[in-house]
């Protein structure tokens, strides 16, 4: 039931989340931070043992080179993440401390003697309860699809873990690359920006109401803010008729599913008789993209932004090659020569771009 | 039957037909009535396609028609099932899901969405487990001294068991699969295409027609067993037949549309409040009222919000419950 609640509550988080930051540093070196739930948390100066039940932060920890400080992770990361076992092969040694992200086995956590727990900002009461019962500081963080927050989050985690230089290097790389895309596309007039519909999360009619990579890549999300902001949702269900009425220039299909898990595919969209009148279907402008998956992977977000920029405006990014650029980005963040090649083999990204 | 009841009965019969044809014109894309008619008739008279905007055919034949046919038959089927089971059990609180059908179907769908993926579609899996749940209920309660009480209690127990299994599957599900399951469980008439409907709709139609044909016997079955036996009715056979048909209908609907609650409970009561308790009228009029009611609820689901869609299951409860309370306060009694 809690998990079902998560599905309901999760989309409503975006509007209410605070911007995490460092508030102060004590003489002892203890750090006081404000997390995404606007909680004030005091963290010891030296953090050497980490439990992370937040996938996005777990990936950042590995990217920062602090993977060996992890002493416990969550079930989702081990069983459902496509790449984690490749970017951090030692993960198999780590005990699982939670099933669904908030179903934490507190006794296991305490027995691991962590200095800090990173959690998802679902609900303040749950996060507070974990901290109160374990007496271990819990920091709840998530960028929730906001690219600028992702870079800030990288710096904050780096500060907490004492890996400021690496965090600065990676966030500068990330912000610089995203900035380059923005710079190259800033003068694209609105009528030259493709009108994009995204079929995400396993449904033809489920779509994000805001998606940073599309916006940065100078595309227009047709479902942008169709739900009032006050509801704080990241996605909604639209009517098929609405898709027909929009007549998008291009359709993006969530490609972060394993091929065997995909209930919506490029082929199923192209063959759907209800969509036959769409210009994007007739011109076969239907493509996979990565999409928001089990929180964000900073490397994947950057790669997706550049991939979409190339897809939307090939004349401005003629040199882009998904495989080569993917390998370079994954090398930068995770130090792997074949990191993206492995992900690509899992998701069959080589089949994504077609004529 | 009073004059007023007769007039109300006629209105109820007309309700789904009016709702069906009016609803064909409702949607995000404005299609004038002649465009709707030409699109509908174009498979028979291909010349009518000439001059029609390209997207009309896709919208009318591919989006609206299957959705409305499903709403029509699902509303009729769920209501008739509810009315029949209420008559059979002599219990006004019984609904079409009381025998564990919804929990069985939900568990079946969860297995498909979370574990089997495309190799075993949720529609088939939901149908199989919905029928399995009812079979278990029937097997457990078959030799009881008070069969109906035992049947209802077993239904509650089996529902609880399948709900627990569903929670277990949810607990282990990936975030993606969980979201898919969540939306499936909320009920939606807009997703099934002609492929799924080609199996579900005939089953629903056959089951509903069968229950309507049995409406004469429902009056007898709603008497005490001794009275019914004295009239020469084979109670066990007749009851099993009603349960079989109600299960067939509910499982067929649930397997393609998800769980659409309250229709089978509210509609028969509304009909009884309007035309009296005679099942010869209540059962067929429940079909008509249920069909119109679900079409209306679906119109709100797809019409209220301009671009996005709200699951119809939410509206069947939001409309039905206040209306039901209003009538209940007015009539001050539960009809059966």
């Amino acid at each position: 039931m809690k998990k079902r609640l998560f599905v309901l509550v999760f989309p409503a988080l975006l509007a209410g989340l605070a911007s995490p930051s460092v508030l102060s540093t004590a003489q002892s070196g203890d750090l006081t931070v404000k997390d995404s739930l606007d909680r004030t948390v005091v963290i010891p100066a030296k953090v050497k043992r980490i439990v992370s039940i937040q996938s996005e932060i777990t990936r950042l920890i590995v990217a920062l080179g602090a993977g060996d400080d992890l002493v416990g992770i969550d079930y989702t990361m081990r069983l459902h993440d496509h790449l984690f076992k490749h970017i951090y092969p030692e993960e198999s040694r780590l005990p699982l401390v939670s099933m669904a992200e908030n179903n934490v086995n507190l006794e296991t956590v305490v027995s691991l003697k962590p200095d800090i727990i990173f959690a998802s900002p679902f609900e303040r009461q749950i996060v507070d309860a974990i901290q109160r019962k374990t007496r271990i500081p819990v920091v709840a963080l998530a960028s929730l699809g906001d690219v600028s927050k992702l870079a800030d989050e990288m710096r904050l985690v780096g500060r907490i873990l004492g890996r400021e230089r690496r965090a600065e290097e990676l966030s500068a790389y990330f912000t610089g690359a995203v900035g380059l895309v923005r710079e190259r596309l800033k003068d694209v007039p609105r009528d030259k920006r493709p009108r994009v519909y995204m079929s995400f999360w396993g449904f033809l009619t489920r779509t994000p109401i805001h998606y940073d990579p599309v916006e940065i890549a100078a595309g227009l999300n047709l479902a942008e803010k169709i739900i009032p902001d006050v509801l704080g949702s990241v996605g909604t269900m639209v009517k098929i008729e609405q898709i027909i009425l929009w007549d998008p220039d291009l359709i993006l299909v969530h490609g972060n599913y394993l091929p065997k898990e995909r209930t919506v595919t490029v082929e199923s969209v192209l063959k759907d008789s209800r969509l036959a009148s769409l210009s994007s279907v007739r011109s076969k402008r239907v493509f996979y993209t990565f999409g928001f998956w089990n929180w964000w992977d900073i490397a994947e977000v950057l790669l997706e932004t550049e991939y979409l920029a190339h897809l939307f405006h090939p004349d401005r990014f003629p040199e882009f090659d998904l495989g080569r650029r993917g390998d370079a980005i994954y090398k930068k963040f995770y130090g792997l020569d074949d990191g993206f090649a492995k992900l690509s083999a899992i998701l069959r990204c080589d089949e994504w771009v077609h004529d | 039957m009073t004059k007023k009841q007769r007039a109300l009965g006629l209105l109820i019969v007309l309700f789904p037909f009016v709702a069906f044809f009016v609803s064909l014109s409702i949607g995000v894309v404005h299609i004038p009535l002649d465009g709707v008619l030409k699109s509908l008739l174009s498979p028979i008279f291909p010349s009518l396609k000439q001059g029609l905007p390209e997207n009309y055919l896709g919208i009318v034949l591919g989006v609206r028609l299957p959705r409305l046919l499903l709403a029509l038959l699902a509303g009729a089927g769920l209501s008739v099932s509810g009315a029949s089971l209420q008559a059979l059990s002599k219990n006004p609180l019984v609904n079409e899901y009381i025998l564990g059908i919804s929990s069985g179907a939900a568990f079946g769908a969860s297995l498909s969405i979370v574990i089997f993926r495309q190799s075993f579609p949720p529609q088939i899996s939901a149908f199989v487990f919905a029928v399995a749940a009812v079979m278990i209920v029937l097997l457990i309660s078959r030799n009881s001294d008070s069969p109906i009480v035992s049947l209802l209690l077993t239904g509650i127990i089996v529902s609880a068991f399948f709900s627990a299994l569903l929670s277990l599957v949810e607990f282990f599900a990936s975030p993606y699969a969980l979201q898919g399951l969540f939306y499936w469980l909320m009920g939606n008439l807009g997703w099934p295409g002609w492929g799924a409907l080609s199996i579900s709709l005939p089953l629903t139609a056959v089951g509903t027609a069968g229950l309507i044909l049995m409406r004469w016997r429902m009056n007898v079955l709603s008497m005490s067993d001794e009275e019914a036996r004295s009239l020469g009715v084979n109670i066990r056979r007749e009851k099993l037949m009603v349960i079989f048909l109600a299960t067939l209908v509910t499982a067929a609907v649930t397997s393609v549309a998800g769980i659409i609650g309250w229709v089978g409970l509210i509609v028969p009561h509304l009909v009884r409040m309007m035309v009296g308790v005679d099942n010869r009228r209540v059962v067929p009029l429940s079909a008509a009222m249920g069909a119109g009611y679900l079409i209306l609820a679906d119109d709100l689901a797809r019409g209220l919000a301009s671009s996005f869609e709200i699951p119809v299951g939410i509206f069947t409860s939001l409309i039905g419950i206040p209306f039901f309370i209003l009538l209940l306060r007015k009539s001050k009694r539960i009809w059966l």
Side-chain angles (χ1 to χ4, degrees), chain A residues 158-278:
Chain A
R159 179 88 169 83
I160 291 170
L161 303 184
R163 299 196 180 243
E164 290 91 337
R165 278 183 59 187
R166 173 74 175 156
E168 194 52 51
E169 177 197 340
L170 290 182
S171 56
Y173 179 83
F174 177 80
T175 332
V178 169
L180 197 65
V181 175
R182 283 193 199 274
E183 181 62 26
R184 277 206 210 178
L185 298 171
K186 68 178 181 190
D187 59 339
V188 177
R190 194 173 169 81
D191 62 345
K192 296 286 180 204
R193 296 182 177 221
R195 297 159 60 258
V196 179
Y197 175 74
M198 285 168 271
S199 163
F200 273 23
W201 301 299
F203 288 90
L204 175 64
T205 51
R206 191 143 188 239
T207 193
I209 58 161
H210 179 76
Y211 198 61
D212 261 358
V214 165
E215 185 266 324
I216 295 167
L220 299 172
N221 176 9
L222 287 165
E224 183 79 20
K225 302 281 193 292
I226 60 169
I227 281 186
D229 270 355
V230 68
L231 296 177
S233 183
V234 294
T236 189
M237 282 284 184
V238 294
K239 300 161 187 167
I240 290 187
E241 281 191 37
Q242 183 61 58
I243 304 173
I244 296 170
L245 189 66
W246 278 330
D247 193 13
D249 300 322
L250 195 140
I251 296 176
L252 295 175
V253 176
H254 209 164
N256 233 328
Y257 282 99
L258 296 175
K260 67 174 181 183
E261 289 179 336
R262 288 178 193 149
T263 47
V264 180
T265 63
V266 166
E267 293 73 27
S268 71
V269 173
L270 290 172
K271 283 181 189 162
D272 194 323
S273 60
R274 296 168 298 180
L275 306 177
S277 65
L278 299 187

Side-chain angles (χ1 to χ4, degrees), chain B residues 31-154:
Chain B
I31 302 180
L33 200 60
D34 69 316
V36 171
L37 288 173
K38 281 181 183 172
S39 304
L40 275 180
L41 295 172
S42 64
I44 307 165
F45 307 107
S47 62
L48 291 174
K49 283 183 192 169
Q50 284 176 355
L52 277 183
E54 205 171 342
N55 59 10
Y56 278 18
L57 287 178
I59 290 171
V60 174
L61 298 178
V63 179
R64 293 185 192 171
L65 187 61
R67 181 173 190 140
L68 284 166
L69 279 177
L70 178 58
L72 190 87
L73 279 165
L78 293 175
S79 305
V80 165
S81 300
S84 307
L85 291 172
Q86 283 160 19
L88 187 78
S89 61
K90 308 167 192 73
N91 187 329
L93 293 177
V94 165
N95 63 47
E96 71 277 26
Y97 293 127
I98 198 78
L99 300 176
I101 294 174
S102 59
S103 322
F107 173 65
S110 74
L111 280 184
S112 166
I113 292 168
V114 176
I115 297 170
F116 299 125
R117 323 270 183 196
Q118 290 104 315
S119 58
F120 196 32
Q123 291 85 0
I124 296 174
S125 185
F127 186 83
V128 168
F129 279 91
V131 173
V134 179
M135 297 288 285
I136 293 169
V137 170
L138 291 176
L139 274 175
I140 294 173
S141 61
R142 65 185 163 162
N143 291 325
S144 167
D145 290 340
S146 31
I148 290 299
V149 174
S150 171
L151 192 75
L152 300 182
L153 273 177
T154 316

